[in-house]
Amino acid sequence: MNETQYNMLSKLKEIQGEQTDTWIDYWQQFSDLGSWQFWVMAAFFLLPLLSLFLFLDKKNALLFGFYGYNVHVFFTYADAIGANMLKWFYPYKLYPLLASSISLDVSLVPVSFMFVYQWTYRHRNNYYLYLILLSAVFAFVFKPLLLSVGLFSLNKGTSYIQLFVIYIAVGMIAKWITNLFVYFEKGKSRNTQ
């Protein structure tokens, strides 16, 4: 490693350390257990997980769980990239060391998508139609509501339409990956018979 690279990495580590300390200080002052915002974010985290425990189709839990995990992974990536690029921002967090919202990325969004997938699977309805409807609710109703109460902000010209497209893309990728693995599983069972 040359000296220029070493100096730049040292500067980045210092900035990252300062940023981490600042987020922890901010969280302790404005977003800890004593704030109503913390408890809203806690509810966004805990209530969907409780509803998942109560209402998940246990017979197909692996299928829906795999799909939900895909939503979680891809939505977390998209949310973290957007938050790190300051396209959007979460001023109140359940956990201060992540740029994105763990309440949305880990629980609320994946569980909501899982229930839509479960419902369309059981009733043989068009998944893509309901994906568009759910994405519209998140992008054009839920996010503006979060914005109005100060739990979310949009920056750098980011629009709700861009958020809508992200939700749809995440839902489509999750479904296609799930379909691919279901196809592999069915192919394996046909080959072993």
Side-chain angles (χ1 to χ4, degrees):
M1 174 180 313
N2 66 36
E3 186 176 346
T4 304
Q5 181 182 4
Y6 178 80
N7 289 338
M8 189 174 270
L9 281 175
S10 295
K11 183 179 177 183
L12 286 170
K13 284 194 260 184
E14 183 181 331
I15 291 169
Q16 187 172 342
E18 289 172 5
Q19 181 184 27
T20 298
D21 293 343
T22 304
W23 263 114
I24 291 170
D25 290 344
Y26 172 85
W27 186 86
Q28 290 171 338
Q29 290 182 46
F30 304 106
S31 189
D32 68 352
L33 281 75
S35 70
W36 67 267
Q37 293 92 341
F38 174 87
W39 292 105
V40 170
M41 299 312 283
F44 288 158
F45 183 78
L46 295 172
L47 294 178
L49 294 177
L50 176 62
S51 66
L52 183 64
F53 178 76
L54 295 173
F55 301 112
L56 177 68
D57 175 1
K58 311 281 190 294
K59 187 175 75 173
N60 292 302
L62 189 59
L63 173 68
F64 300 130
F66 182 74
Y67 166 84
Y69 182 73
N70 278 300
V71 171
H72 154 68
V73 167
F74 291 104
F75 186 71
T76 298
Y77 289 157
D79 202 25
I81 290 167
N84 283 327
M85 294 176 64
L86 298 176
K87 297 284 189 181
W88 50 81
F89 193 76
Y90 298 96
Y92 300 97
K93 301 175 185 187
L94 197 58
Y95 184 69
L97 298 182
L98 297 175
S100 56
S101 172
I102 193 170
S103 300
L104 302 182
D105 299 349
V106 172
S107 184
L108 184 65
V109 171
V111 170
S112 299
F113 275 65
M114 285 172 73
F115 282 140
V116 165
Y117 181 46
Q118 177 176 289
W119 189 83
T120 60
Y121 184 85
R122 279 182 171 172
H123 296 91
R124 300 197 184 277
N125 285 319
N126 185 325
Y127 167 80
Y128 298 101
L129 172 65
Y130 288 91
L131 169 65
I132 290 169
L133 292 173
L134 179 62
S135 298
V137 168
F138 271 118
F140 301 120
V141 178
F142 182 69
K143 288 291 177 127
L145 179 64
L146 289 182
L147 186 87
S148 72
V149 296
L151 296 175
F152 179 71
S153 69
L154 285 175
N155 304 310
K156 296 187 176 185
T158 306
S159 70
Y160 293 117
I161 290 178
Q162 291 168 315
L163 298 179
F164 176 65
V165 170
I166 290 168
Y167 283 113
I168 289 175
V170 165
M172 290 175 74
I173 291 167
K175 178 75 163 78
W176 295 340
I177 290 174
T178 302
N179 288 352
L180 181 64
F181 277 80
V182 167
Y183 173 78
F184 289 156
E185 185 177 51
K186 287 180 180 178
K188 181 182 178 206
S189 66
R190 282 192 301 263
N191 292 338
T192 57
Q193 292 177 355

